[in-house]
Amino acid sequence: MDRAIHRTIIIKNHLLQPNSDQILTTNACLSYSPPELNEVYDFDPKEMRKLLDGHNLQEQDWLFNLMVQSKLFNPRKRGEKVYVAPDYNQTMEQQREMTMKRISYLLERGVFEGWLTAKGAEAELRKLALLEVTGIFDHSLAIKIGVHFFLWGGAIQFFGTQRHHEKWLRDTENYVVLGCFAMTELGHGSNVRGIETVTTYDAKTGEFIINTPCESAQKYWIGGAANHATHTIVFSQLEINGKNQGVHAFICQIRDAAGNICPNIRIADCGHKIGLNGVDNGRIWFDNVRIPRENLLNSVADVSPDGRYLSSIKDPDQRFAAFMAPLTSGRVIIAGSSVYKAKIGLAIAIRYSLSRQAFSITPNGPEVLLLDYPSHQRRLLPLLAKTYAASCAANDLKMMYVNRTPQSNKTIHVVSSAFKAILTWHNMRTLQECREACGGQGLKTENRVGHLKGEFDVQLTFEGDNNVLMQQVSKALLAEYLAAQKRNRPLQGLGLEHMNKPCPVIPSQLTSSILRTTQFQMDAFCLRERDLLSRFVMKVSQHQAEGQSKDYALMLSYQLAEDLGRAFSDRAMLQTFIDTEATISCGSLKNVLGLLRSLYALTCLEEDAAFLRYGYLSTDNASAVRNEVQKLCSEIRPHALALVSSFGIPDAFLGPIAFDWIDANTWSSVQ
């Protein structure tokens, strides 16, 4: 009883305050105010979009419109706007069938025209641009298309020769055959050289025989295999006359035209996943499956009718490297895709924060917009700056890929590995922060941000586990360093030329003007990279001097390897940002890019402990960097709406909370 009386007194004192002027009053109901009414654009978002997307903007807008016009893309009205997104309430089976119906719709309207039969950089850029649009709508749709064209079709293009091109490419482009890509196994993912599927050759019949010798050799996570694919590329160890010649690729039919599974092949479903349930991932076993000799993709090696192994590349390591080089397309696509998903998350979260208010900072004063809180700016705007940097990096990588030459393959492999890892990590971090920044609304599937986390988590591990990729990058840098030392020549390639110059010196006292210069920013990034590379070389050499093998020495040095991989990635990204900025003449667009570039660079300095751990920055300078980051956030705040509008993502592909979130949640919306 005493407790009840005590609580009653507290409530009475709260309601009946001594100052009669502060008696509670009823607040007016909230109303939505479009941020466009108050936010000013200092630059043209259309010009910024040209810079960000880089190419094929008209084709992208054409495809956006194609999807909005069709009921297959699940249009739904919320308030006065219509949004499109997959219906994730559907069963896994229904989602898969809808993915195929959408592909048929796009096929009939010429979206895939020339994707495998047209040649040249322009055709490849168009293909990449349109694939990115499908991914903005639905990751399952983009992956299903990507597996068919870039993995199955790409393998035939790059691993095959004219006989394969003539037989398979046009039928693939027209979906006469539906392809998948059987590389990953239950027991081997990143370690492709260790796969256990075995193929032998029967000279009497002129056929290869494919076998799954054990359960760990079953092909796993094969997109398209569970329901729809009629053919697959099988990656297998090739044994000729008892000698293992390493991993090779073969064309194998797994279903007939009616969808029946072929003899001696077993297929099972991988089951429900945390995302990508519109893709029919499957498992495949091969039991003495015979295929024609011509089904070996023979651009690197061949087998004669009488069973002789033929290859102009005698070294097995070099042959494997040549064989795997074309597979960089997957990492190029994932890097670009991850940037667009970060853009979706930021466009929704920032637009919401420009109309959603919380708390007042004066008695009876108006509530404050979320993005006017410095803490909210600190959460979202550094991620926005890094997304702009990521756009520059992804565009540079695409141009490098479509203009590739045999001489540039190694560089593309290293840079695509680095950017795939760094950009997919950035995407997941961005989506998580945007989800939290949207509060409870971020949990709703229709608002996209939360659901995208599950859909895109897979990007951290497919086409290479990110941590493994970072170690591959460091291993490549180590090889370049040692080769230059052995030849007694300057470093050349991979952007390492800065190591031939005197070591940069960081000023003892960093002012705001110094912190914002490209000279300081690049010096800091280069200092970190060159020092970590030197430390990595010393650590590996030390382990080898103690009697460890090179591979074991590399494994023991993994912490430095990961630090070095990030340092390389950050420096390469900053360089692409600086190069992009340099293409713009003086004006408001260039000024805003300068703010974003500085915020990106200084955030990297603040977040990577290596700058303090190894003494590149003093504690006083680290504090100066931290203070400058907050200043930059406040200076970028007035441009926030223009910056996310520059992404060029149509309203229909965002979520209701990006616009009139009150109207989208009225009682009439549930009737």
Side-chain angles (χ1 to χ4, degrees), residues 346-545:
L346 286 164
I348 293 169
I350 287 176
R351 290 192 68 94
Y352 184 56
S353 70
L354 288 168
S355 64
R356 180 68 154 83
Q357 299 167 311
F359 304 105
S360 59
I361 56 176
T362 58
N364 296 322
E367 291 186 286
V368 178
L369 287 174
L370 294 182
L371 200 60
D372 285 337
Y373 284 101
S375 58
H376 211 75
Q377 295 171 16
R378 198 64 157 73
R379 296 174 71 177
L380 295 178
L381 298 187
L383 295 172
L384 178 63
K386 186 164 185 176
T387 300
Y388 267 74
S391 282
C392 298
N395 284 338
D396 190 72
L397 178 59
K398 279 191 286 187
M399 295 309 297
M400 193 185 302
Y401 174 74
V402 301
N403 294 301
R404 62 194 176 278
T405 63
Q407 293 73 32
S408 67
N409 279 340
K410 181 173 69 174
T411 298
I412 295 172
H413 169 72
V414 176
V415 175
S416 66
S417 297
F419 284 176
K420 183 267 182 184
I422 211 80
L423 298 187
T424 55
W425 273 328
H426 167 66
N427 177 42
M428 291 306 295
R429 179 186 173 191
T430 300
L431 291 174
Q432 178 63 33
E433 195 65 60
C434 289
R435 207 298 296 157
E436 294 180 34
C438 292
Q441 290 295 331
L443 294 176
K444 292 188 72 175
T445 300
E446 71 172 6
N447 289 327
R448 300 211 68 187
V449 182
H451 191 86
L452 286 176
K453 287 167 49 190
E455 286 290 312
F456 285 88
D457 190 276
V458 66
Q459 288 192 336
L460 306 183
T461 50
F462 74 8
E463 293 293 326
D465 176 279
N466 282 358
N467 291 286
V468 174
L469 290 178
M470 278 301 187
Q471 292 181 41
Q472 285 184 8
V473 169
S474 297
K475 188 175 178 180
L477 298 179
L478 173 67
E480 289 295 312
Y481 184 93
L482 295 177
Q485 278 193 330
K486 185 176 181 179
R487 296 191 306 266
N488 196 27
R489 291 181 179 176
L491 281 160
Q492 187 173 6
L494 297 177
L496 296 177
E497 291 82 0
H498 67 88
M499 294 189 65
N500 302 320
K501 302 175 184 177
C503 185
V505 177
I506 302 299
S508 58
Q509 187 173 0
L510 293 175
T511 63
S512 177
S513 58
I514 292 174
L515 286 168
R516 297 190 184 201
T517 62
T518 57
Q519 182 68 54
F520 161 74
Q521 293 160 12
M522 188 54 77
D523 279 352
F525 279 42
C526 289
L527 175 62
R528 173 181 54 159
E529 184 181 18
R530 70 188 292 157
D531 180 66
L532 287 173
L533 179 51
S534 297
R535 290 174 184 272
F536 185 52
V537 171
M538 290 174 60
K539 178 66 73 173
V540 172
S541 299
Q542 177 186 335
H543 287 308
Q544 287 184 288

Side-chain angles (χ1 to χ4, degrees), residues 7 29 88 91 98 164 262 270 280 290 303 320 327-328 342 345 443 485 500 528 658-659:
R7 287 177 61 81
C29 288
Y88 295 112
T91 65
M98 282 304 300
H164 304 108
C262 293
C270 286
D280 51 316
R290 288 179 172 265
V303 174
F320 180 75
L327 295 180
T328 52
L443 294 176
Q485 278 193 330
N500 302 320
R528 173 181 54 159
F659 303 100

